[in-house]
Amino acid sequence: TFVYSLFTRGRPFPIGFVFKGIVFCTGNGFLQGYSLIYCSEYPAEWYTDIRFGLGLFLFILGMGINIHSDYILHQLRKPGEVIYKIPQGGLFTYVSGANFLGEIVEWLGFALATWSLPAFAFAFFTLCFLGLRAFYHH
């Protein structure tokens, strides 16, 4: 969040969206943390469970897709350019919203690894919102 935002170029971003993002992420972070610390109990062998292993794999895969896609998007414009360009390469070869796909896979992996209702709710709403954004970007 913070690293990528320092490298963005182009049009200014409305401060209202920044504030809403901070509020949402704070609330979601509290909900996820509270659930994991106070509501969830994992047996000692949870780390060998297929749900945890597959979820961790999907989380790391999604994070890799997300970081690589953000790198491609960052390289699209030269300093001062504000025109829209269609990204090429990476998973953008197959999907028009590779960065959105990466984040969706990431949070589905988190939900699977934690096996908690708040994590699945967050993954579901991430799918709904980012899927819709990807559809409109297409």
Side-chain angles (χ1 to χ4, degrees), residues 26-102:
T26 301
N28 182 56
F30 173 78
L31 178 64
Q32 299 301 328
Y34 187 87
S35 170
L36 289 173
I37 293 169
Y38 297 109
C39 302
S40 300
E41 282 190 33
Y42 298 104
E45 61 274 359
W46 178 252
Y47 297 109
T48 61
D49 190 281
I50 187 70
R51 294 170 290 184
F52 179 78
L54 182 59
L56 183 62
F57 171 77
L58 287 175
F59 182 83
I60 292 170
L61 176 68
M63 185 171 25
I65 292 168
N66 198 3
I67 290 169
H68 184 255
S69 300
D70 283 347
Y71 174 78
I72 291 172
L73 289 173
H74 176 68
Q75 299 300 318
L76 279 178
R77 297 182 187 150
K78 294 177 178 64
E81 282 187 332
V82 292
I83 61 171
Y84 182 80
K85 292 184 177 181
I86 297 174
Q88 303 292 324
L91 280 182
F92 285 108
T93 304
Y94 306 104
V95 294
S96 55
N99 53 327
F100 300 131
L101 174 66

